[in-house]
Amino acid sequence: MNVLLVGSGGREHALAWKLARAPGLSGLHAAPGNPGIAQLGDCHPVRAEDGEALLGLARSLDVDLGVVGPEAPLVAGVADVLRRNGVQVFGPGRAAAAIEGSKSFAKDVMTAAGVPTAEALAVGRAPCVVKVDGLAAGKGVFVCETAEQLDEGLRAAALFPGPIVIEELLSGDEVSVFALADGRTVVPLAPAQDFKRIGEGDTGPNTGGMGSYSPVPGFGAEKVAELVDQVHRPVVEELARRGTPFVGVLFAGLMLTESGPKVLEFNARFGDPETQSILPRLEGDFLGALAAAAGGELAGVELAASDDAAVTVVLATGGYPESSDTGSTIEGIDAAEASGALVFHAGTALYGDRLVTNGGRILGVTGTGATIGAARERAYRGAELIRFDGVRYRGDIALTASG
């Protein structure tokens, strides 16, 4: 099977890494890709949001399956352009991707589907959560426990285009639950837990994600299947009822409150960096499952997870999330990989023969092992070997879960 992977981040590198191991793969192409993906397949200088250019590329390469990684191309309708021109696509069309592209649309769908979520508030009153309605690269959520934080959150949200949504502040443990969907059938995947805040102890502003781990203690296959039945399946059914079937991966960020699980947000794609922790654990035919979802044939498909654990630590620039960095030399990746870690490129570029920084989150270092503790040790051992100007990462990823 000839695959075109759309995107250029750490999630896409992890997807490429997994797809490259599929026995049914005949060719792997990426648009635009990154230096890590270029070691696994052919990268093409086509923007991820340019549907017509992607269609031309897919036709020239005789692509069998398109896999759209990031949210922005999905919300922009790239999957629609490919799909209506005969290219099978793993990824929802624009109308279904609005489950992530608009918080208010997601609320409407959840209400219709009977899925529990945080209560929307007509006016802001601390404690509460202020959210940007549209896409914000993981930086559009502001937890406001005091009136001062509420004022700061409202000012920060106003810097983004479009409306804002204010919700009650929920408390409890968080978990990220993923499921493949073909428009009707839903197949659970392994869960993960991510770390959104920039600082240790979950302090500081939200980011796109500073680390993750899988499995999540207390969330075995039966519990995950139960959550998918409560949350994902009703939403997929509601979107199908509206004539906008969801084809791709539906990612629910859940808060496990005293009154039961409630949805914090939906995403219309794999999480980043959760994907870097989930895919090393997945067993079975991953490429075949994505193709089955794209073709409306997921019934009977299962993707079990191994008993091993995986922990991912994100290496970011010194100014992230407020600023990014370009052009700083990156060293030590070979040493990190030789130590047993997987290194996924997120914000890198080649400048001549030098690998340099090109973003805010630069690399994801994933360790695997028989336990979360062993995986964590391997991830941090790899992270410590990588150097670039201003490198920063949290030291507490999966710490409490490692026992």
Side-chain angles (χ1 to χ4, degrees), residues 108-115 230-231 234-238 242:
D108 181 63
V109 170
M110 284 187 278
T111 299
V115 172
Q230 285 180 267
V231 171
V235 166
V236 169
E237 290 172 354
E238 173 62 19
R242 297 180 179 212

Side-chain angles (χ1 to χ4, degrees), residues 210-212 311-315 363-366 379-380 383 393-394 397:
M210 293 300 295
S212 60
V311 174
T312 300
V313 178
V314 170
L315 276 56
L363 298 164
V365 182
T366 299
Y380 276 104
Y393 53 89
R394 285 180 56 164
I397 303 300

Side-chain angles (χ1 to χ4, degrees), residues 44 91 95-96 111 129 132 137 141 153 169 200 205-207 218 229-230 252 282 290 307 330 332 343 355 379 395 401:
H44 304 268
T111 299
V129 180
V132 176
V141 176
L169 177 61
E200 295 185 12
N206 273 335
T207 71
D229 282 342
Q230 285 180 267
L282 278 192
L290 300 192
D307 292 333
I330 302 169
V343 180
L355 184 70

Side-chain angles (χ1 to χ4, degrees), residues 23-374:
L25 185 76
S26 58
L28 179 60
H29 301 269
N34 65 36
I37 297 172
Q39 298 175 21
L40 301 168
D42 297 323
C43 293
H44 304 268
V46 175
R47 290 175 51 250
E49 291 85 6
D50 191 339
E52 292 300 329
L54 289 169
L55 175 61
L57 179 63
R59 284 173 167 168
S60 70
L61 297 172
D62 196 22
V63 163
D64 300 301
L65 177 68
V67 178
V68 185
E71 61 271 25
L74 292 168
V75 172
V78 161
D80 296 311
V81 174
L82 296 174
R83 194 172 280 126
R84 67 172 171 254
N85 285 282
V87 180
Q88 283 208 327
V89 185
F90 179 83
R94 183 202 302 265
I99 196 78
E100 175 170 5
S102 169
K103 300 289 192 301
S104 53
F105 174 81
K107 285 285 187 191
D108 181 63
V109 170
M110 284 187 278
T111 299
V115 172
T117 184
E119 181 183 350
L121 304 177
V123 295
R125 185 177 294 111
C128 64
V129 180
V130 176
K131 296 182 177 181
V132 176
D133 186 67
L135 298 181
K139 304 170 193 173
V141 176
F142 306 93
V143 177
C144 308
E145 296 179 341
T146 66
E148 182 180 357
Q149 290 175 340
L150 175 57
D151 289 340
E152 293 173 355
L154 290 170
R155 284 195 297 269
L159 298 176
F160 293 86
I164 62 172
V165 174
I166 303 175
E167 296 178 348
E168 65 173 322
L169 177 61
L170 300 176
S171 61
D173 293 328
E174 291 186 44
V175 63
S176 300
V177 180
F178 300 79
L180 304 184
D182 66 2
R184 304 181 307 277
T185 304
V186 180
V187 174
L189 297 179
Q193 190 162 69
D194 77 327
F195 296 77
K196 287 292 187 191
R197 300 291 190 93
I198 187 67
E200 295 185 12
D202 290 326
T203 57
N206 273 335
T207 71
M210 293 300 295
S212 60
Y213 68 90
S214 181
V216 181
F219 292 89
E222 286 189 13
K223 179 63 174 178
V224 170
E226 178 184 316
L227 288 171
V228 168
D229 282 342
Q230 285 180 267
V231 171
H232 299 66
R233 208 174 305 278
V235 166
V236 169
E237 290 172 354
E238 173 62 19
L239 289 171
R241 188 190 67 78
R242 297 180 179 212
T244 56
F246 188 98
V247 176
V249 61
L250 186 60
F251 158 17
L254 301 176
M255 181 72 80
L256 306 175
T257 73
E258 290 183 352
S259 59
K262 294 187 177 183
V263 176
L264 294 173
E265 64 177 1
F266 273 116
N267 295 305
R269 37 71 191 182
F270 282 102
D272 187 348
E274 294 98 330
T275 305
Q276 293 89 304
S277 295
I278 290 173
L279 293 190
R281 300 187 58 233
L282 278 192
E283 298 176 332
D285 184 2
F286 181 64
L287 173 57
L290 300 192
E297 299 173 348
L298 261 182
V301 171
E302 290 186 13
L303 284 174
S306 73
D307 292 333
D308 284 350
V311 174
T312 300
V313 178
V314 170
L315 276 56
T317 60
Y320 181 77
E322 287 82 10
S323 63
S324 58
D325 182 74
T326 58
S328 298
T329 299
I330 302 169
E331 298 177 327
I333 290 179
D334 289 345
E337 291 176 336
S339 76
L342 298 167
V343 180
F344 295 112
H345 292 233
T348 68
L350 283 174
Y351 185 74
D353 60 354
R354 285 194 304 127
L355 184 70
V356 299
T357 58
N358 187 38
R361 293 187 298 168
I362 306 302
L363 298 164
V365 182
T366 299
T368 58
T371 65
I372 292 175

